[in-house]
Amino acid sequence: MGTFKLSKPALLVASLLAAGSVMAQTVNIGVSVSATGPAASLGIHERNTVELLPTKVGEVELRYFVLDDATDTSQAVRNMRKLISEQNVDVMVGSTVTPGSLGMVDVGAEMKVPVISLAGNAVVVEPQEGAKIWAFKTPQNDALMAAAIRKNMEKSGVKTVGYIGFADAYGTGWLAELERALEGSEIKVVAKESFARNDTSVTGQVMKLISAKPDAILVGTAGTPGALPQRELIQRGYKGITYHTHGSANGDFLRVCAKACEGVVLPVGPVVVAEQLDDSHPSKAGGVEYAKLYNAKFGENSMNSFGAHMWDASILINSAIPQAINTGAKPGTEEFRAALRDALENHQEVIGVHGVYNTSKEDHTGLDERARVLVKVQDGKWVYDPDLE
C-alpha cells in the first residue's frame, strides 16, 4: 500500500483545525441562586445578571447553567450535585444566602469544585481550612461593614445599641460581628432579638428592643424581610438611629419599607451609588457600566448590589480562567478545577464593581475599605454622604 501525503494547502487546513481544536475550549459554570423563597428579592437580580455576562474569555467559550434553589439549603446542595454530574461544571456560583452557601461549600470540597458564594457572612470562607479552601465569595465580609457602622455610631454619639436579626447563620453572624466591632469602644449592646425569615410579625421583639431604650438599633437582615422590623420600629415610635446591614441594599427593600426607611443608615458596596462617587474611585466606571446594562434590560432603576455580586463573580472567574488554562489542564477535568481554585486564590488588584479583589491563601474574599461606602435613605433613595464616614 502506498503512503498517502497531504498537499501543502491540505496540511495548512489540517494544522489550523488542530490549533482550533486546542483553542476552542469550553468552561461550564454552574449557578444556584434563590430566585424564589424568602431571598427572592436578592436571587432574582443574581439570576438576571447571568444574562448580561460575557460568553467568551479570549478563545475560551463560557456556558452558564442556572438553577433556582428556592432559598432552601437542601435544594442548593441538590442543584450543585446535579450540575456537576450532568453538566460537568468547573466552578459553582451561589448560593444567595449563607445556609445554602455552606451546604454548597461542603459539596465543593467533596467533589473538588471551587465555589464562589454570593452571601455576605464570613463564615462561608473562614477559617481557611478543611472544606473552605474550595470556597470564595464576592460580597464584603460582615466585619468590614460592621467597622463602618461602629465608626458612624461613634461619630453620632451612640452609647447603647439594640440588635434584631434573622434567627439563622446570617443573623447570628452579624450579631457576632457587631459585638466584635464594638470591642474597645464605649458602645454597649443592651438588647438582642431575632426572628425567622418567613415571620409576619415582630411586635414582641420590637417592644422588647424599645423598652431597653437604645440610642440606635441595628437590623441584621437581607432583602425585603428587613422591612418588617423597620416598619414596626417606626410604628411604635422609635426615635433613635436605625442601621441596617448591606443585606438591605436593594430597591425591593425600599419599595416594601416605603417611608419607614427614611433616615436609615447602612454600609453598601460602591456599585449601589456609583454615579455619586468621585471619578477617582476604582469601581466607579465599572459600576456605572453594570448599572447601565442592567437597567437597560430589566427596567429603569432596577439594578441593585446583589446582582452586582454575580457580576463580580464573573470578573473573578474570567480573570482566573487564563491562568488555569496556562497550566495545561483541560476544562472539565479535576486538574483544571484545582488550577482554577489556585488562580482564584491569587488574584491581585482585580477591579470589580463592589471593590478591588486581592485574594490569598488566608483571605478568600480579598476586599478592603475601597469596597464600602455609607449611605442614608432620603426620599426613598440611597444617598452617599462622605460625612457619614
Side-chain angles (χ1 to χ4, degrees):
M1 181 181 291
T3 303
F4 176 76
K5 294 184 178 181
L6 290 172
S7 64
K8 287 185 178 180
L11 282 169
L12 177 61
V13 170
S15 64
L16 287 174
L17 287 172
S21 66
V22 171
M23 297 172 66
Q25 301 186 77
T26 300
V27 173
N28 292 337
I29 302 165
V31 178
S32 179
V33 293
S34 305
T36 58
S41 65
L42 318 182
I44 288 171
H45 294 276
E46 296 161 354
R47 180 193 64 193
N48 288 349
T49 297
V50 177
E51 297 183 33
L52 307 174
L53 300 179
T55 56
K56 292 188 74 174
V57 176
E59 297 298 322
V60 179
E61 299 282 348
L62 307 178
R63 292 197 301 172
Y64 282 86
F65 300 88
V66 185
L67 295 177
D68 173 24
D69 59 42
T71 325
D72 178 80
T73 299
S74 296
Q75 188 60 51
V77 169
R78 286 193 293 271
N79 285 352
M80 184 167 176
R81 291 191 181 280
K82 177 182 177 70
L83 291 173
I84 292 172
S85 64
E86 296 182 7
Q87 305 300 340
N88 198 31
V89 298
D90 290 305
V91 58
M92 278 292 302
V93 181
S95 178
T96 302
V97 297
T98 300
S101 295
L102 289 171
M104 290 173 61
V105 168
D106 287 337
V107 178
E110 175 192 341
M111 308 295 288
K112 294 183 169 53
V113 174
V115 179
I116 302 179
S117 171
L118 304 177
N121 200 307
V123 71
V124 175
V125 294
E126 295 179 0
Q128 263 302 296
E129 58 187 36
K132 293 178 183 179
I133 66 171
W134 291 89
F136 301 83
K137 71 183 188 70
T138 53
Q140 300 84 347
N141 280 343
D142 296 339
L144 182 68
M145 300 311 220
I149 291 174
R150 168 185 165 160
K151 190 174 181 180
N152 183 267
M153 285 182 175
E154 291 178 323
K155 191 171 186 178
S156 302
V158 170
K159 298 299 182 183
T160 57
V161 59
Y163 177 82
I164 181 168
F166 288 147
D168 61 20
Y170 185 91
T172 57
W174 248 101
L175 175 58
E177 292 298 352
L178 172 65
E179 292 176 329
R180 274 193 287 267
L182 296 181
E183 289 177 1
S185 76
E186 297 180 356
I187 304 170
K188 304 300 179 185
V189 179
V190 295
K192 309 171 188 178
E193 297 293 332
S194 63
F195 69 103
R197 291 177 186 252
N198 289 319
D199 282 354
T200 57
S201 174
V202 290
T203 300
Q205 295 96 316
V206 166
M207 294 301 290
K208 290 178 182 177
L209 285 176
I210 293 176
S211 67
K213 299 180 180 179
D215 297 327
I217 291 174
L218 172 62
V219 180
T221 59
T224 55
L228 181 64
Q230 182 63 36
R231 289 198 307 263
E232 192 71 25
L233 284 165
I234 299 304
Q235 184 178 337
R236 298 293 170 176
Y238 182 68
K239 301 299 182 184
I241 303 172
T242 306
Y243 295 90
H244 277 246
T245 72
H246 53 308
S248 292
N250 74 83
D252 287 331
F253 167 76
L254 290 179
R255 175 182 55 79
V256 174
C257 195
K259 291 183 179 180
C261 287
E262 199 70 10
V264 164
V265 175
L266 69 159
V268 299
V271 65
V272 176
V273 289
E275 290 189 349
Q276 301 177 43
L277 300 177
D278 187 87
D279 289 345
S280 63
H281 196 289
S283 293
K284 177 170 183 173
V288 170
E289 175 194 6
Y290 169 69
K292 186 180 298 183
L293 288 171
Y294 193 97
N295 292 336
K297 186 170 181 64
F298 299 105
E300 186 177 358
N301 298 321
S302 60
M303 184 279 297
N304 72 22
S305 66
F306 298 95
H309 292 313
M310 182 73 227
W311 184 264
D312 276 1
S314 168
I315 289 174
L316 295 184
I317 291 169
N318 294 354
S319 178
I321 284 173
Q323 299 177 55
I325 291 287
N326 286 342
T327 67
K330 303 299 181 185
T333 66
E334 184 174 320
E335 291 76 16
F336 181 79
R337 293 165 182 167
L340 195 61
R341 192 217 73 87
D342 292 347
L344 288 167
E345 189 176 78
N346 289 283
H347 280 314
Q348 296 297 310
E349 292 294 295
V350 176
I351 298 175
V353 299
H354 268 289
V356 181
Y357 295 87
N358 286 281
T359 54
S360 67
K361 188 175 181 180
E362 295 76 28
D363 185 358
H364 278 201
T365 303
L367 292 169
D368 55 26
E369 286 77 7
R370 293 173 291 180
R372 71 179 189 207
V373 295
L374 278 173
V375 300
K376 180 180 284 188
V377 179
Q378 294 180 3
D379 298 322
K381 298 178 181 178
W382 313 112
V383 177
Y384 170 57
D385 183 355
D387 289 337
L388 291 172
E389 301 177 338

